[in-house]
Amino acid sequence: CILLTLVVCIRSDQECGVSCEKEDFSSLSLNLRSDSSDSPQREDKLIECAKALPGSTDCFDTIPPKEFVVQFHLANGQKFAIRVFREWAPVYAQRFWQVSNLKWWENITIYRNVYVNSSLRFVSQFGLSGMPEVDKVWAKFKSSNATAPALKSNTRGRVSFSMGAVLCKQGEGQDPCASLRPNCTATDYCALGFSTEIFVNYANNSRLDSHGFAPFGQVENFEDMENLENPESGMTVLDSVGERLGRQYGEVTELCPKKPSADASPYCVYRNDTCAGVDVEALQKDGNPYIVKGFPEMYHLRIVHADVFT
């Protein structure tokens, strides 16, 4: 699902001042095959757990610890961590606990990087598995309409689940958002429906709080876990990824005009009058081979695995 809160925009390579590094991605197809050598077993397990009854201990559909940390390893050797606080948003903490223990975060691309520079940035989004059948069954069986109030704000470094949206209707007739009160207090739309995709706030996006996007954790530097009040220290890695991929590929195609437009804003990147961003429907349909073929630098900076610490 897509985080439906952006005014989409355009930025050409020239305007961004992009300097695309030329790297050798010739071995990526081979690497993809080797990365996926154990994928049948892992894919079967993830499909099994998507269809499992609620509360399955084999599938980690259990109450998570009050606090836990997931450390993410990127293909380029860099690391970042997300510390989760169950009391912030229990329903979202539980889903993150489940997928993290199921080794969901293997060969996951950070496919959405809404980032131009330190003054103009929004979110980083990831969580599609890169295996079409897995994403399909999790969307079918594990999409949830459970909600939670935003006890913490969507400030820089905070992490929330990506969700769909319900448009609110004022005046006569029943308001579709009525059942989502008081977790959503906005009058234009309310967030509803989540599965496996999360987003990290690059900036202070506290405007999302009233819509029902409830943070469940924050990015930290795993090497400095004592400094809990400084999520900034853990954002260095994601900033470098976001700026590099944001300038190279920009916003996803679903949130960009098909052609450059003077009234659009700066997150969308165009080459030869075509949006350079990821087509989310194509990613869901074709999986990681779509990324390898069309977005080699993105695959080069993918999440290769994650470790859970309690």
Side-chain angles (χ1 to χ4, degrees):
C1 54
I2 297 293
L3 175 63
L4 299 174
T5 56
L6 280 181
V7 176
V8 298
C9 51
I10 296 173
R11 191 175 185 90
S12 69
D13 293 350
Q14 291 74 24
E15 290 172 318
C16 281
V18 176
S19 174
C20 300
E21 298 181 26
K22 302 299 182 181
E23 300 192 40
D24 180 11
F25 298 112
S26 60
S27 62
L28 278 180
S29 296
L30 178 61
N31 289 340
L32 177 60
R33 288 192 292 271
S34 63
D35 289 339
S36 305
S37 60
D38 61 345
S39 63
Q41 182 178 1
R42 176 169 164 262
E43 183 173 358
D44 289 346
K45 178 66 174 179
L46 290 172
I47 291 174
E48 173 190 334
C49 286
K51 300 177 180 180
L53 294 175
S56 168
T57 55
D58 288 342
C59 293
F60 298 95
D61 194 2
T62 55
I63 298 175
K66 291 184 178 179
E67 188 176 315
F68 63 96
V69 175
V70 178
Q71 184 187 40
F72 293 83
H73 298 254
L74 303 185
N76 67 351
Q78 292 182 301
K79 296 180 289 186
F80 69 93
I82 294 177
R83 181 181 290 270
V84 176
F85 301 90
R86 188 182 70 196
E87 64 181 11
W88 287 10
V91 64
Y92 304 132
Q94 192 284 322
R95 176 58 57 85
F96 190 70
W97 166 257
Q98 181 180 22
V99 296
S100 297
N101 279 286
L102 287 173
K103 302 186 184 302
W104 186 272
W105 310 110
E106 292 186 9
N107 297 313
I108 299 289
T109 54
I110 305 175
Y111 71 85
R112 186 179 180 211
N113 298 273
V114 191
Y115 196 119
V116 174
N117 54 47
S118 60
S119 299
L120 186 58
R121 54 192 179 184
F122 181 46
V123 298
S124 166
Q125 184 172 329
F126 51 96
L128 291 174
S129 72
M131 296 179 286
E133 187 60 28
V134 169
D135 289 327
K136 181 179 178 180
V137 295
W138 274 77
K140 179 178 180 179
F141 294 104
K142 281 294 188 281
S143 289
S144 172
N145 286 335
T147 64
L151 300 180
K152 299 293 181 178
S153 185
N154 283 277
T155 51
R156 176 168 162 79
R158 293 272 169 79
V159 186
S160 300
F161 267 88
S162 174
M163 306 174 74
V166 173
L167 297 180
C168 303
K169 184 184 299 184
Q170 304 299 315
E172 297 183 5
Q174 183 177 0
D175 180 7
C177 297
S179 63
L180 304 176
R181 313 295 185 196
N183 293 343
C184 171
T185 59
T187 58
D188 51 351
Y189 76 89
C190 289
L192 182 67
F194 71 97
S195 181
T196 62
E197 293 191 68
I198 63 174
F199 67 89
V200 177
N201 291 287
Y202 278 132
N204 183 349
N205 298 319
S206 56
R207 65 188 182 278
L208 300 178
D209 301 349
S210 64
H211 295 279
F213 293 99
F216 61 89
Q218 66 185 28
V219 172
E220 295 179 356
N221 184 342
F222 192 76
E223 307 302 329
D224 185 24
M225 299 306 284
E226 299 302 320
N227 195 1
L228 302 183
E229 300 303 319
N230 184 24
E232 179 67 27
S233 66
M235 288 295 291
T236 304
V237 170
L238 283 176
D239 279 338
S240 65
V241 171
E243 186 164 15
R244 186 170 173 178
L245 298 182
R247 291 187 173 193
Q248 176 78 355
Y249 304 117
E251 180 61 282
V252 296
T253 61
E254 285 82 353
L255 295 178
C256 291
K258 291 183 178 180
K259 298 291 183 180
S261 171
D263 61 353
S265 52
Y267 294 121
C268 297
V269 173
Y270 290 85
R271 293 191 184 86
N272 300 320
D273 285 340
T274 301
C275 182
V278 168
D279 180 330
V280 180
E281 289 188 2
L283 174 56
Q284 292 171 323
K285 177 179 179 290
D286 298 327
N288 278 343
Y290 165 75
I291 297 294
V292 171
K293 181 179 180 180
F295 308 87
E297 189 167 0
M298 185 177 291
Y299 191 72
H300 181 65
L301 294 173
R302 72 194 183 282
I303 299 168
V304 290
H305 73 275
D307 301 312
V308 181
F309 298 86
T310 59

